[in-house]
Amino acid sequence: MKLRYAVPAGVLVSSILFAGCGQTGTANQQPAATTKDAGATTQTTTPAAPAPNFDQAVAAYRAYATQQCDTFVKKTEEFTNAVKAGELDKAKALYAPARMYYERIEPIAEALGDLDPNIDARDGDVDAADWRGFHRLEKTLWEENTTKGLDEFSDRLLSDAKLLRAKVETVNIDASLMVTGAVELLNEVSTSKVTGEEERYSHTDLYDFAANVEGAQKIYEILKTDLNQKDAALETQIGERFEALQQELAPFKEGEGYVSYTKLKPEEIKKLSQNLDALAEPLSQMGKLLGV
């Protein structure tokens, strides 16, 4: 779930927002040039450069988000069916894999009002009476080790997942949302996943970590051609740092998923954080360079 980020997370997002604001005053008009002709002074205006067109990039990202949403609904239904059938071990096994499809496209849900807190709020993020979604189920499954009393929460989670799928085709997506979303996905990792705070009962934080990084990397891949035309060195640097972070995560894979966060050593968590920070800094420059 989206958090109230502290520095440096807020700084990264702000750098994009303010970069965009800073360009507002110059986007349509360049500084006037002055010429003299037969004693008269004439001012000419340099034609504004055409606005960058990200229609293809937006269409590509919407297609990706729709595909992720389709599978998210399917996997969430398998998870909630297991909960309602009283299959505790199966429900636990399906919980984290289902969440990954959501974590990859979380910026979309965050743009749709209450859908993000309804699906992904943790205990204390919202009023107790309003708390539902994955983490409400997670608490009972792992802390109380039972599926009892979760039928209504299961039905509401599946309903919210289907509502997200219904809205993803029409939600307003632009290049700014994509660039900001990529940075926010890394902020999510930095503020809750790498610290083990997101999955406080199941300790499946590395599933979320990997999915957030994959979602951010997908946005970079969609925009990399435009970015390369602006700054080839930065585009290469971002690509290399995504690769380095993926390599750092690889040893923690276990079967189709990831090891429990509780198995990580302090030095391993520190190394993951350092790789994350090394990627976040150049990634935060994308919005300014692309003019979004």
Side-chain angles (χ1 to χ4, degrees):
M1 179 185 172
K2 185 177 182 179
L3 304 173
R4 293 180 176 85
Y5 303 119
V7 174
V11 171
L12 296 180
V13 174
S14 298
S15 67
I16 290 177
L17 297 177
F18 284 118
C21 292
Q23 293 175 347
T24 301
T26 59
N28 298 323
Q29 188 174 13
Q30 299 298 319
T34 302
T35 61
K36 290 184 178 180
D37 182 14
T41 300
T42 303
Q43 289 191 332
T44 60
T45 302
T46 303
N53 188 319
F54 295 105
D55 289 351
Q56 287 188 343
V58 169
Y61 186 64
R62 189 184 300 280
Y64 169 74
T66 301
Q67 182 273 327
Q68 291 295 309
C69 247
D70 282 339
T71 313
F72 172 58
V73 171
K74 178 182 177 182
K75 296 299 182 183
T76 298
E77 187 166 21
E78 292 175 1
F79 165 63
T80 55
N81 282 344
V83 174
K84 294 176 68 175
E87 299 174 298
L88 180 62
D89 291 340
K90 183 177 180 180
K92 286 183 175 180
L94 294 175
Y95 169 82
R99 285 181 48 74
M100 292 185 77
Y101 297 94
Y102 178 80
E103 293 288 340
R104 293 189 185 101
I105 59 165
E106 195 167 4
I108 297 292
E110 290 173 351
L112 292 171
D114 292 335
L115 266 178
D116 183 48
N118 289 345
I119 292 172
D120 200 32
R122 297 172 303 178
D123 192 3
D125 286 338
V126 297
D127 291 341
D130 298 326
W131 189 33
R132 64 197 214 220
F134 273 106
H135 294 302
R136 178 64 186 82
L137 291 157
E138 178 203 6
K139 181 177 182 180
T140 299
L141 291 176
W142 269 270
E143 192 170 77
E144 300 176 23
N145 210 36
T146 182
T147 60
K148 293 180 179 178
L150 294 178
D151 283 9
E152 181 178 348
F153 290 119
S154 297
D155 289 340
R156 297 193 74 173
L157 174 59
L158 182 57
S159 176
D160 288 331
K162 290 180 177 178
L163 182 58
L164 175 62
R165 171 62 185 87
K167 291 188 172 185
V168 73
E169 291 188 32
T170 57
V171 63
N172 184 32
I173 299 175
D174 57 21
S176 178
L177 182 145
M178 293 171 61
V179 171
T180 305
V183 176
E184 288 189 350
L185 283 170
L186 292 190
N187 288 339
E188 284 270 331
V189 181
S190 179
T191 55
S192 60
K193 277 76 173 189
V194 78
T195 61
E197 296 176 22
E198 180 77 8
E199 307 288 356
R200 60 188 68 167
Y201 309 108
S202 64
H203 305 299
T204 54
D205 304 86
L206 288 184
Y207 287 76
D208 300 344
F209 187 124
N212 283 161
V213 172
E214 290 166 5
Q217 188 168 10
K218 182 64 179 181
I219 293 171
Y220 153 73
E221 289 172 352
I222 290 173
L223 294 170
K224 67 181 295 184
T225 300
D226 296 290
L227 182 60
N228 185 278
Q229 292 173 355
K230 298 289 186 181
D231 190 331
L234 182 71
E235 184 272 308
T236 299
Q237 183 184 49
I238 292 173
E240 290 174 346
R241 292 187 178 179
F242 266 120
E243 182 63 25
L245 186 54
Q246 295 287 9
Q247 289 180 4
E248 197 65 34
L249 264 175
F252 304 112
K253 286 186 176 179
E254 186 175 70
E256 297 296 321
Y258 290 86
V259 302
S260 169
Y261 182 84
T262 58
K263 294 185 177 180
L264 296 185
K265 299 174 183 176
E267 58 269 27
E268 292 171 333
I269 296 172
K270 182 179 180 180
K271 190 71 179 294
L272 285 169
S273 296
Q274 289 172 336
N275 277 275
L276 192 61
D277 292 342
L279 169 60
E281 192 280 330
L283 191 72
S284 70
Q285 300 179 41
M286 269 204 319
K288 181 178 181 180
L289 285 170
L290 295 176
V292 300

